[in-house]
Amino acid sequence: MQDVRVVLIGGTSHTGKSTVARAVAERLGFDCRSTDKLARHPGRPWRTPEWEPPPHVAEHYATLDVDELIRSVSDHYARLWPRIEELVVDGATGGGPGLVLEGSALWPARVAGLMTVPGTRAVWLTADETVLRERMRSSARYEEMTDQERYLVDKFLARAERFQTLMAQDLDARGLALVETGGLPVGEVADSVLAAVGVPGR
């Protein structure tokens, strides 16, 4: 379908949203953005080449239970929503190349309200819990961590798993598109995303 102007890619952490979004954007010739760049929630509680977690991040995951972590991140995403709506409308109606927007902030119930914006399509990525665990622990270099550091990673993982479960339930209730990433190559997942949003054969 040639009228697609905005592709939204949601999902929990470590389902491959960023990598797949870049691949989809490249195929479509669209810009690619992440909701994570709009404002940072506490973020991942482990060090990466791009991220040094401040002390309050460890405290956040150490002191809140999983339900509290879900409420905290959901409140954060609710605050981001007006800006996300602006990006979608601008991408759909502006004169630019189009937009692929990815991020966990793209909650199904809110995105459903954007499906009336012309040229806007949405899909969510999911991954088996074993895949999420392996990806997360690899990213965190889990085997090299102290017990306390591992505890924080495990709390982040528990939140991600709960988030995905709740998201899948909302998707099912609304009949919205979902793509299982599994261990598939990025190109194959991108193919499935494009087919799900009505742009086959790219």
Side-chain angles (χ1 to χ4, degrees):
M1 296 174 66
Q2 300 303 312
D3 63 341
V4 175
R5 293 279 304 158
V6 176
V7 176
L8 305 175
I9 302 177
T12 196
S13 181
H14 285 76
T15 51
K17 298 184 302 298
S18 299
T19 304
V20 172
R22 286 192 294 268
V24 170
E26 182 176 354
R27 294 195 196 183
L28 296 176
F30 285 6
D31 291 335
C32 185
R33 296 191 63 171
S34 172
T35 62
D36 288 349
K37 304 298 183 183
L38 300 180
R40 182 176 283 279
H41 193 252
R44 299 171 183 178
W46 64 84
R47 184 182 298 107
T48 70
E50 301 82 25
W51 168 244
E52 181 70 34
H56 76 269
V57 172
E59 181 181 3
H60 179 79
Y61 289 101
T63 59
L64 299 182
D65 64 27
V66 174
D67 288 336
E68 290 169 329
L69 290 171
I70 289 289
R71 284 194 293 271
S72 175
V73 76
S74 297
D75 289 345
H76 171 68
Y77 293 156
R79 290 190 293 272
L80 290 184
W81 195 249
R83 178 58 181 143
I84 292 171
E85 288 182 311
E86 290 177 4
L87 289 173
V88 171
V89 172
D90 288 348
T93 62
L99 174 67
V100 175
L101 180 65
E102 62 86 10
S104 299
L106 300 172
W107 188 254
R110 293 195 179 96
V111 172
L114 293 174
M115 293 298 94
T116 58
V117 178
T120 301
R121 305 287 187 273
V123 64
W124 284 261
L125 304 184
T126 64
D128 181 86
E129 290 184 0
T130 300
V131 172
L132 288 180
R133 185 179 305 110
E134 290 175 352
R135 288 177 178 174
M136 209 168 289
R137 289 183 173 181
S138 175
S139 171
R141 301 174 72 175
Y142 190 84
E143 296 304 319
E144 302 173 20
M145 288 181 151
T146 65
D147 287 346
Q148 178 60 23
E149 289 171 332
R150 290 182 181 182
Y151 174 74
L152 299 178
V153 173
D154 290 341
K155 286 288 284 291
F156 186 93
L157 172 61
R159 189 199 74 177
E161 291 173 341
R162 179 75 59 82
F163 187 94
Q164 178 167 266
T165 297
L166 295 171
M167 181 194 77
Q169 291 171 350
D170 200 16
L171 287 170
D172 185 59
R174 297 172 190 281
L176 296 171
L178 182 152
V179 169
E180 170 66 42
T181 62
L184 296 174
V186 172
E188 289 187 27
V189 179
D191 288 342
S192 296
V193 167
L194 287 167
V197 300
V199 190
R202 291 281 178 153

